């Protein structure tokens, strides 16, 4: 709905301005309110050809100035949504002609110059030091402490695991203590191994 779309675009705009971010959004047939929220526009035609890339301008003056000479009807009618006007012009053009018109425009040359200036003034990324801050023993100690802290955040759960492990140990010890020379002792031993692996080990590892 239009109301939900406005809430989304307003939230994105607020976050972008507040955090100093660059937000990229893909949208189809935006309303005039949403269209005016974008600073720069990239329009693609069939085949992934770039028909326009750059600023929309105050009240879309820049992008309309590019598409009005390409339109058969000339100047955009008053009250028209700029996005609808630009898409109408592109729909009436061959995709190759739309691409060529932008490639030969002053807007494309200005865009290339701006990109070149940004590359020259760009800061070099900081070098990454691959050397370990701590030796391996310090890291093992830190991980061990972290694991203990995580485990003891829930004392009742740890206590339950300890008591269940002790009880099951006695139970398995009794099963293994049986006489292995008779059939019943072998059955008890196989049952103990099955219980140990599929009832204790696997569920406990999955819980961790």
């Amino acid at each position: 709905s239009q109301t939900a779309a406005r809430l989304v675009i307003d939230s994105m705009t607020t976050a972008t301005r507040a955090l100093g971010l660059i937000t990229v959004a893909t949208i189809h047939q935006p309303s005039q309110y949403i269209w005016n929220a974008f600073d720069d526009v990239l329009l693609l035609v069939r085949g992934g050809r770039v028909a326009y890339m750059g600023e929309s301008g105050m009240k879309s003056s820049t992008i309309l100035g590019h598409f009005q000479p390409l339109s058969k009807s000339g100047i955009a009618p008053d009250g028209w949504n700029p996005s609808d006007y630009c898409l109408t012009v592109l729909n009436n053009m061959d995709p190759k002609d739309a691409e060529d018109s932008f490639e030969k425009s002053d807007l494309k040359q200005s865009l290339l110059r701006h990109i070149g200036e940004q590359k020259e003034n760009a800061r070099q990324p900081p070098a990454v030091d691959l050397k370990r801050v701590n030796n391996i023993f310090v890291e093992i100690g830190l991980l061990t402490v972290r694991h203990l802290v995580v485990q003891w955040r829930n004392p009742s759960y740890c206590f339950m695991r300890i008591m269940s492990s002790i009880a099951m140990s006695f139970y398995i010890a009794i099963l293994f203590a049986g006489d292995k020379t008779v059939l019943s002792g072998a059955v008890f031993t196989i049952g103990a191994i099955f219980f140990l692996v599929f009832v204790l080990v696997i569920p406990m590892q999955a819980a961790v």
Side-chain angles (χ1 to χ4, degrees):
S1 65
Q2 289 293 332
T3 303
R6 285 195 174 199
L7 290 175
V8 172
I9 198 66
D10 288 342
S11 300
M12 292 174 57
T13 303
T14 302
T16 300
R17 299 285 189 269
L19 300 177
L21 302 175
I22 297 177
T23 303
V24 180
T26 303
I27 192 168
H28 302 277
Q29 296 180 331
S31 64
Q32 188 166 357
Y33 179 86
I34 294 177
W35 171 270
N36 293 332
F38 293 105
D39 300 318
D40 299 277
V41 179
L42 170 62
L43 297 180
L44 301 177
V45 291
R46 189 170 60 251
R49 304 174 186 271
V50 177
Y52 183 86
M53 181 178 179
E55 296 181 354
S56 58
M58 182 66 67
K59 295 183 178 180
S60 302
S61 58
T62 303
I63 190 171
L64 290 178
H66 173 74
F67 281 102
Q68 283 176 352
L70 306 177
S71 173
K72 297 179 181 179
S73 59
I75 300 175
D78 293 336
W80 261 46
N81 184 349
S83 66
D84 291 338
Y85 176 79
C86 295
L87 294 178
T88 300
V89 174
L90 291 176
N91 287 334
N92 294 328
M93 293 182 63
D94 183 86
K96 188 66 172 63
D97 295 337
E99 181 185 31
D100 291 340
S101 64
F102 178 68
E103 288 290 335
K104 299 175 182 178
S105 66
D106 294 336
L107 291 172
K108 176 63 179 295
Q109 303 307 318
S110 176
L111 178 63
L112 292 177
R113 287 194 300 270
H114 180 69
I115 293 175
E117 293 173 357
Q118 293 297 319
K119 287 183 177 180
E120 293 177 359
N121 299 329
R123 294 180 298 175
Q124 294 296 328
V128 178
D129 189 4
L130 299 180
K131 183 180 178 181
R132 289 177 177 269
V133 178
N134 300 314
N135 60 54
I136 187 171
F137 298 105
V138 174
E139 292 186 358
I140 291 175
L142 293 174
L143 290 175
T144 302
V145 172
R146 179 182 178 186
H147 179 72
L148 291 175
V149 171
V150 171
Q151 292 295 323
W152 284 101
R153 281 179 178 172
N154 191 348
S156 59
Y157 174 68
C158 294
F159 179 76
M160 180 192 67
R161 289 183 61 182
I162 292 173
M163 296 306 296
S164 62
S165 298
I166 294 174
M168 290 302 104
S169 298
F170 279 109
Y171 175 72
I172 294 173
I174 293 172
L175 292 179
F176 271 99
D179 188 0
K180 311 298 188 302
T181 60
V182 297
L183 180 61
S184 60
V187 171
F188 283 147
T189 302
I190 296 173
I193 295 174
F194 177 85
F195 185 85
L196 177 65
V197 174
F198 292 98
V199 179
L200 288 182
V201 176
I202 294 178
M204 281 190 171
Q205 291 298 324
V208 176

